[in-house]
Amino acid sequence: MVYEERMRIILFGPPGVGKGTQANLLAEKFHIPQISTGDILREAVHKRTPLGLKAKSYMDQGALVPDQVIIEIIRETLASEKCADGFILDGFPRTVGQAEALDAILRDLHIKLDVVIDLAADENEIVRRLSNRLTCRQCGAVYNLATNTLPQDNKCPKCGGELYQRDDDKPEVVRNRLRVYHETTAPVRTYYAQQGILRSVDGMGTIADVQQRILNSLPGNRG
Ligand code: AP5
């Protein structure tokens, strides 16, 4: 299979559908950075930076952090050297305002998005994935109690860091995150469908199955 160089990809979809998991695999495959606004915010919360202090109350409730805050993070990140050869956006944009701001940033940088992958899965499966998710406090690796065999000592198999359940994976917060997704984030799909770069991908099945579907839907796939 032949893929275009300098891929610029958005992974889009509801909480828990597998965006982070798939973004990580694509990042390894194409040697481009995974830019996860959720990871950036969680690190800021953990380090108690001004950004983290501002973001925490929104995240704890499963609400969106204000656009202005997120857009500034993305502006700085995309302009940095590490994104020069492409990137995968995971969890951004989540509002039409963020999508419009991203277009303006990309225009300024004279670059174009290649594709927006819209992952979908049943809501029951999403709740199951989130309630079984464990995240490493140190390296951010993500596991699932339903599919991974994890050591008894609750340490990350990759780095030995502590595995924990995210506060926003509690059932009542998950419900709010799904509501926010349907009300505020889902309309972003129409925005990219109108630009002709949205590709819908079934997020059900194994991680490997989903990865293959994503690879098949990337532009430049002539296989
Ligand atoms: P964020 O961290 O982005 O959360 P999210 O979008 O809700 O997505 P998740 O990280 O929960 O899930 P995912 O789709 O990445 O799934 P994963 O691969 O982990 O955001 C958190 C918060 O930050 C937001 O609520 C908001 O407050 C704030 N925020 C972030 N970005 C923002 C923005 N742009 N604007 C405003 N606010 C923002 O998979 C889930 C589990 O399923 C894992 O255990 C995984 O191992 C497992 N799994 C994955 N794929 C499969 C599969 N195929 N089969 C079985 N299990 C699977």
Side-chain angles (χ1 to χ4, degrees), residues 8-26:
R8 296 179 181 109
I9 305 171
I10 291 179
L11 271 188
F12 185 83
V17 74
K19 301 181 296 297
T21 303
Q22 296 297 334
N24 189 262
L25 293 170
L26 291 175

Side-chain angles (χ1 to χ4, degrees), residues 204-215:
M204 297 293 283
T206 66
I207 290 173
D209 288 343
V210 177
Q211 187 193 16
Q212 193 53 55
R213 285 182 211 129
I214 291 176
L215 293 176

Side-chain angles (χ1 to χ4, degrees), residues 11-24 34 36-42 55-67 69-71 74 90-95 98 119 121 125-126 128-135 140-148 166 168-169 173-174 176-178 180-181 185 202-211 213:
L11 271 188
F12 185 83
V17 74
K19 301 181 296 297
T21 303
Q22 296 297 334
N24 189 262
Q34 169 187 4
S36 158
T37 41
D39 287 350
I40 294 169
L41 292 170
R42 271 185 293 282
K56 187 173 185 323
S57 60
Y58 296 98
M59 295 174 79
D60 284 349
Q61 294 165 43
L64 294 181
V65 173
D67 280 0
V69 175
I70 298 288
I71 289 164
I74 290 293
D90 157 18
F92 178 94
R94 278 167 125 103
T95 64
Q98 291 181 12
L119 279 179
E125 172 65 7
I126 283 177
R128 196 183 68 87
R129 288 182 187 178
L130 288 179
S131 55
N132 283 303
R133 172 166 62 184
L134 287 179
T135 305
V142 169
Y143 302 96
N144 199 281
L145 288 169
T147 47
N148 298 122
R166 276 171 44 177
D168 63 350
D169 282 348
V173 186
V174 168
N176 197 39
R177 286 163 62 199
L178 286 167
V180 169
Y181 171 77
T185 304
D202 180 4
M204 297 293 283
T206 66
I207 290 173
D209 288 343
V210 177
Q211 187 193 16
R213 285 182 211 129

Side-chain angles (χ1 to χ4, degrees), residues 18 27 82 92 113 164 214:
K82 74 171 180 177
F92 178 94
L113 281 175
Y164 76 107
I214 291 176

Side-chain angles (χ1 to χ4, degrees), residues 6 8 32-35 40 71-89 105-106 108-109 111:
R6 302 198 173 198
R8 296 179 181 109
I32 49 178
Q34 169 187 4
I35 312 296
I40 294 169
I71 289 164
E72 279 319 304
I73 296 173
I74 290 293
R75 190 190 306 282
E76 262 180 44
T77 310
L78 295 190
S80 70
E81 188 54 36
K82 74 171 180 177
C83 291
D85 289 332
F87 51 78
I88 301 159
L89 288 173
I105 293 168
L106 296 176
D108 287 348
L109 294 170
I111 54 180

